[in-house]
Amino acid sequence: MVPEICKKPWKFAVQPFRIVNRLYYVGNASVSSYLIDSGDGLILLDTGYPQTLYLLLESIRRLGFDPDDIKLVIHSHGHYDHIGGTRAIKELTGARAAMGEPDARMIVESPELTWAPEYGLEFYEAFETELPLTDGQVIEMGHVTVRCVHTPGHTDGCFSFFFDILWDDHVLTVGTFGGPGLNTLTDEYLARYGLPQTRRIQYLNSLERLRKERVDVFIGVHPDQNRTFRKLQRWAGLSNPFVDPAEWQRFLDLLERAARRLFSKSEVVRND
Ligand SMILES: [Zn+2]
């Protein structure tokens, strides 16, 4: 089924806003995109669907930034709803692309794995990834240093990102998990594309690894993961609801419970 957002993207438009210093929400009501102002060029994290590209560019402009200043587009993983705008942004601005090396290959060699077929769509927007990421890689630009951690499972090349930002004289660590979705780990999906069961082990290992990270500001790759709009609604006064050092572990707990529930129901795993 073609998702509603690809048919009527204007219904998913939201106002962009600043989360903390240098970090802005420029996504839509369904998929997150973040803009990081490094002081020496803009970094964009995820580009949404191809159909929502105009909303993304408009959000960047409304915040007073020029899309031409985007120097780097970083991707959580190589799925249609996170990489859809990248090809056009690269062509418009000359930005470079960074993505986990396995997903950089996947979007070119196996576009059927971008989840486009599940949306009833074709993926036409493959692009070259100038910066194929490997585990532990560090990206430095201006005042921002992004640490890239390989957290496979949802796809082979999912990456999670961590960086420090100053807020009210405190240094806060911002973190995101590049691939929380369990939709690619069902029996049906793995069987459809002949993918190995070991992806489930990888997913659980990724959760384990992420638990070791301390995160003050958790940003989801979809806004519902960190309740973006609920926080925005109740943001009044001085206390910033996006600063919540307990939320990261709560989110990982939730995912682990859901993953174990899904995997325990699996016939394939039981028969192994
Ligand atoms: Zn995905």
Side-chain angles (χ1 to χ4, degrees):
M1 276 296 281
V2 178
E4 182 75 357
I5 189 169
C6 296
K7 293 190 275 188
K8 297 176 179 172
W10 52 88
K11 288 192 163 186
F12 293 78
V14 297
Q15 285 291 338
F17 63 94
R18 183 171 76 155
I19 299 172
V20 287
N21 281 356
R22 299 189 180 279
L23 175 66
Y24 302 84
Y25 187 81
V26 289
N28 54 58
S30 166
V31 186
S32 305
S33 291
Y34 299 96
L35 191 71
I36 307 164
D37 175 13
S38 80
D40 185 25
L42 301 172
I43 302 172
L44 186 61
L45 170 57
D46 282 357
T47 61
Y49 293 91
Q51 297 83 352
T52 52
L53 173 69
Y54 77 101
L55 299 176
L56 173 62
L57 293 173
E58 180 61 14
S59 289
I60 293 169
R61 289 198 188 96
R62 279 190 191 183
L63 290 168
F65 293 107
D66 183 347
D68 272 347
D69 292 332
I70 301 171
K71 295 280 190 298
L72 184 66
V73 186
I74 300 179
H75 301 89
S76 58
H77 63 280
H79 275 170
Y80 192 85
D81 50 339
H82 301 281
I83 61 171
T86 304
R87 181 175 184 156
I89 287 178
K90 288 187 65 174
E91 288 182 12
L92 288 168
T93 69
R96 291 182 308 151
M99 177 157 49
E101 192 274 330
D103 281 14
R105 244 181 311 117
M106 174 191 83
I107 67 164
V108 176
E109 294 171 8
S110 314
E112 70 281 6
L113 293 179
T114 60
W115 200 261
E118 282 67 27
Y119 287 137
L121 296 164
E122 255 185 86
F123 178 62
Y124 298 113
E125 294 83 4
F127 52 84
E128 189 196 340
T129 300
E130 289 84 358
L131 230 84
L133 300 174
T134 53
D135 186 40
Q137 195 161 336
V138 168
I139 296 171
E140 287 184 64
M141 190 186 292
H143 300 286
V144 179
T145 301
V146 182
R147 196 159 47 84
C148 311
V149 178
H150 187 204
T151 47
H154 178 63
T155 66
D156 285 339
C158 282
F159 265 73
S160 300
F161 303 106
F162 303 91
F163 53 95
D164 288 346
I165 265 178
L166 197 68
W167 179 256
D168 280 349
D169 297 332
H170 303 293
V171 176
L172 298 175
T173 301
V174 179
T176 192
F177 176 15
L182 290 165
N183 51 353
T184 53
L185 295 169
T186 61
D187 283 342
E188 194 214 348
Y189 188 85
L190 295 177
R192 192 185 313 154
Y193 294 105
L195 299 169
Q197 290 280 319
T198 46
R199 276 198 171 197
R200 293 174 168 175
I201 312 287
Q202 287 182 321
Y203 184 90
L204 293 172
N205 288 343
S206 292
L207 289 181
E208 209 44 52
R209 229 182 136 188
L210 290 171
R211 281 187 188 284
K212 300 192 178 88
E213 301 286 343
R214 192 188 63 95
V215 171
D216 303 302
V217 179
F218 162 47
I219 53 171
V221 293
H222 290 275
D224 57 334
Q225 290 168 0
N226 63 324
R227 298 187 169 96
T228 297
F229 300 112
R230 247 171 58 187
K231 283 179 185 152
L232 193 60
Q233 271 177 349
R234 62 164 219 259
W235 193 348
L238 291 175
S239 148
N240 182 335
F242 287 89
V243 181
D244 179 356
E247 188 178 12
W248 177 250
Q249 297 293 340
R250 277 204 308 272
F251 181 61
L252 297 176
D253 285 346
L254 206 80
L255 293 178
E256 182 162 351
R257 276 201 299 277
R260 293 202 184 274
R261 219 169 25 239
L262 174 72
F263 303 163
S264 71
K265 273 192 274 184
S266 164
E267 292 302 316
V268 185
V269 166
R270 268 193 220 146
N271 295 342
D272 265 354

